[in-house]
């Protein structure tokens, strides 16, 4: 495992390997140098010595600055303010998409049309509209930062971003939820209980894996979400990281239904170590990917078509709305910073719910005749005499 914050690893042969960036290609790709030693301390010293002997980087001139140089400045600055997972995502998009195509382009000459053409090419190559838009947003952020930092003009900031249509969000149907719960209760497992907990609290995959016993308050009937687990790449390897949630709003307290609390009381051992993780029962969290495998197997055993883990969260939000939970409370329980996110992304009422709601609406009840009262559900009654007289007139108007 690497020492925190450094690209120094212990090899299988017992030696320590240190890696550092000694240059970049014309397209902005990093070129690495390596040092080796018999101990971590010696390897660290050799690595630092190599870094100190690197030639000093010339100051970036605004008139000649390339997109690769601008991206390096941007990522270096953001490494101090962004969450590690967000920075890794930005770095990945930059290295794999932006720099290979536009890295050598001078930012002062990079036009909006060039960027729009680049984003369209990404979509034609098979990249989704959402991903192409994310890359466009990052690219424009790099240009805006550079324009301000170097006090120069970047015409590419005016590029139009791709329009994409949000995919229809799926939810589990009531009968599927029933079959899922029955399958878990027939042979309870920690993974199964965890899946039901996600369904009853709207937890994200990483939040569930990072849940510790101390975060479950059975006396007050709530759980506290304070962290998330995620596998992240660092250097040549990946490692599981438990870190604070993405935003302050994601730190939240969620009340639980009584039946879920009863199941947790049967599951949680009274003599537990409060610092251990709920799903693994150990000092290390369960791998999110492992939980995904177990979730897929559980759906298959229950005879339910596969939907990704996040659909549990969509289902929770949609059902809360249908049961009359106000949007502000739901937004807080989901950990959203903006209520609009809850409305636009997670609230998807079923057709059955919409049909029930529509039956309470009858604008024709404002008419003086009593036979325009709100209809029953479903409405199969014969048309009244007044309706027979009015509807033909309405059809003529249309």
């Amino acid at each position: 495992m690497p020492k925190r914050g450094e690209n120094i690893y212990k090899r299988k042969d017992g030696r320590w390997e240190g890696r550092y960036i000694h240059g970049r290609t014309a397209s902005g790709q990093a070129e690495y140098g390596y040092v080796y030693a018999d101990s971590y301390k010696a390897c660290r010293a050799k690595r630092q010595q190599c870094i100190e002997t690197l030639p000093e980087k010339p100051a970036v001139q605004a008139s000649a600055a390339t997109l690769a140089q601008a991206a390096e400045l941007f990522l270096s600055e953001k490494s101090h303010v962004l969450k590690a997972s967000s920075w890794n995502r930005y770095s990945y998009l930059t290295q794999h998409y932006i720099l290979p195509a536009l890295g050598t382009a001078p930012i002062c000459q990079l036009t909006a049309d060039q960027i729009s053409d680049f984003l369209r090419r990404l979509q034609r190559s098979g990249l989704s509209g959402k991903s192409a838009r994310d890359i466009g947003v990052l690219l424009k952020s790099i240009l805006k930062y550079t324009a301000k930092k170097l006090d120069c003009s970047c015409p590419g900031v005016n590029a139009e971003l791709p329009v994409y249509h949000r995919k229809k969000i799926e939810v589990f149907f009531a009968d599927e939820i029933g079959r899922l719960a029955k399958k878990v209760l027939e042979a309870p497992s920690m993974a199964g209980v965890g899946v039901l907990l996600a369904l009853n609290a709207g937890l994200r995959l990483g939040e569930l894996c990072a849940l510790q016993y101390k975060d479950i308050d059975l006396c007050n009937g709530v759980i506290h979400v304070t962290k998330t687990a995620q596998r992240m790449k660092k250097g040549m390897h990946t490692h599981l990281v438990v870190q604070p949630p993405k935003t302050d709003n994601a730190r939240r307290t969620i009340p639980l239904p009584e039946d879920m609390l009863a199941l947790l009381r049967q599951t949680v051992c009274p003599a537990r170590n409060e610092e251990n993780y709920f799903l693994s029962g150990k000092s290390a969290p369960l791998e999110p990917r492992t939980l995904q495998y177990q979730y897929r197997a559980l759906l298959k055993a229950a005879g339910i078509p596969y939907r990704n883990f996040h659909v549990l969260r969509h289902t929770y939000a949609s059902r809360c709305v249908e049961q009359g939970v106000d949007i502000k409370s739901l937004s807080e329980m989901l950990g959203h910073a903006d209520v609009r996110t809850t409305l636009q992304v997670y609230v998807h009422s079923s057709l059955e719910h919409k049909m029930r709601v529509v039956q309470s609406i009858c604008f024709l009840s404002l008419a003086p005749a009593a036979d325009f009262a709100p209809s029953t559900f479903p409405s199969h009654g014969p048309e009244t005499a007044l309706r027979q007289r009015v509807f033909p007139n309405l059809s003529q108007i249309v």
Side-chain angles (χ1 to χ4, degrees):
M1 292 294 290
K3 294 289 184 178
R4 185 176 180 181
E6 296 181 323
N7 282 327
I8 301 177
Y9 305 87
K10 190 170 186 178
R11 294 160 51 94
K12 292 182 179 179
D13 62 6
R15 292 189 302 162
W16 288 83
E17 174 186 308
R19 188 178 74 156
Y20 63 96
I21 297 176
H22 67 67
R24 290 189 179 273
T25 65
S27 63
Q29 296 283 353
E31 295 180 323
Y32 294 96
Y34 299 87
V35 294
Y36 303 91
D38 292 330
S39 68
Y40 163 76
K41 186 175 180 180
C43 185
R44 184 174 183 272
K46 289 176 68 174
R47 176 178 177 273
Q48 186 61 33
Q49 184 179 7
C50 289
I51 292 174
E52 291 175 354
T53 57
L54 289 174
E56 226 178 285
K57 295 180 182 178
V60 178
Q61 298 295 323
S63 59
T66 64
L67 184 57
Q69 292 173 314
E72 186 176 2
L73 282 174
F74 175 83
L75 291 173
S76 177
E77 177 70 21
K78 295 301 179 182
S79 65
H80 305 296
V81 296
L82 285 176
K83 185 182 172 185
S85 57
S86 298
W87 189 91
N88 280 345
R89 173 67 174 166
Y90 287 176
S91 179
Y92 175 84
L93 294 178
T94 301
Q95 297 293 336
H96 285 77
Y97 295 104
I98 296 176
L99 296 187
L102 302 172
T104 58
I107 57 172
C108 294
Q109 300 175 23
L110 189 59
T111 66
D113 287 341
Q114 286 177 295
I115 292 177
S116 296
D117 288 341
F118 160 65
L119 297 176
R120 282 194 290 268
R121 288 198 304 273
L122 290 178
Q123 290 181 279
R124 286 197 295 268
S125 68
L127 204 65
S128 69
K130 173 66 167 60
S131 296
R133 187 179 179 87
D134 288 346
I135 292 171
V137 169
L138 174 59
L139 180 51
K140 292 180 70 170
S141 296
I142 292 172
L143 294 178
K144 288 177 182 177
Y145 168 81
T146 309
K148 183 177 180 181
K149 188 77 173 178
L150 301 182
D151 191 22
C152 64
S153 173
C154 298
V157 298
N158 298 316
E160 292 187 7
L161 297 176
V163 176
Y164 77 98
H165 300 287
R166 192 184 299 275
K167 291 182 179 179
K168 183 179 179 181
I169 301 298
E170 294 182 294
V171 298
F172 286 105
F173 299 110
D175 64 310
E176 293 175 325
I177 295 173
R179 297 206 303 274
L180 179 62
K182 182 180 178 182
K183 180 57 65 174
V184 172
L185 295 177
E186 284 176 354
S189 65
M190 292 311 300
V193 174
V195 168
L196 292 184
L197 181 57
L199 184 61
N200 282 274
L203 295 176
R204 299 177 178 93
L205 177 66
E207 293 172 342
L208 178 59
C209 290
L211 198 68
Q212 294 173 282
Y213 286 123
K214 66 181 181 182
D215 299 321
I216 303 173
D217 186 348
L218 296 177
C219 295
N220 294 309
V222 299
I223 58 174
H224 304 287
V225 179
T226 60
K227 49 198 169 299
T228 185
Q230 182 179 3
R231 180 158 285 279
M232 292 171 47
K233 185 175 182 179
K234 190 168 187 180
M236 301 295 291
H237 306 277
T238 65
H239 58 291
L240 188 62
V241 175
V242 176
Q243 57 189 350
K246 188 173 183 179
T247 64
D248 289 338
N249 296 83
R251 295 183 180 88
R252 60 199 189 277
T253 298
I254 307 172
L256 296 176
E258 283 299 327
D259 53 353
M260 189 67 231
L261 281 171
L263 180 59
L264 287 176
R265 290 190 180 103
Q266 297 175 11
T267 306
V268 177
C269 175
R272 63 191 182 273
N273 182 339
E274 292 290 306
E275 295 297 324
N276 284 351
Y277 290 89
F278 172 66
L279 291 182
S280 67
K282 303 175 182 178
S283 58
L286 183 69
E287 282 275 0
R289 185 174 295 178
T290 301
L291 179 57
Q292 284 180 316
Y293 290 147
Q294 294 171 339
Y295 163 73
R296 184 187 288 269
L298 184 59
L299 291 184
K300 184 177 182 179
I304 301 172
Y306 176 76
R307 301 180 185 87
N308 67 48
F309 195 91
H310 212 67
V311 172
L312 296 170
R313 182 171 164 87
H314 300 326
T315 304
Y316 170 79
S318 297
R319 295 299 177 260
C320 281
V321 171
E322 292 181 1
Q323 294 302 316
V325 177
D326 66 276
I327 300 301
K328 176 62 176 174
S329 296
L330 177 58
S331 181
E332 292 177 355
M333 290 190 292
L334 289 172
H336 291 158
D338 194 332
V339 174
R340 287 176 295 181
T341 303
T342 312
L343 289 169
Q344 294 171 0
V345 180
Y346 292 99
V347 179
H348 306 277
S349 298
S350 67
L351 178 60
E352 180 184 356
H353 173 69
K354 293 173 184 174
M355 292 178 72
R356 286 199 303 267
V357 172
V358 165
Q359 302 314 310
S360 65
I361 302 172
C362 184
F363 296 107
L364 297 181
S365 62
L366 299 177
D371 55 358
F372 270 110
S375 60
T376 58
F377 174 71
S379 178
H380 299 296
E383 291 184 350
T384 64
L386 181 56
R387 292 187 188 190
Q388 291 173 349
R389 293 197 305 272
V390 173
F391 285 165
N393 294 334
L394 289 175
S395 63
Q396 291 175 10
I397 293 175
V398 174

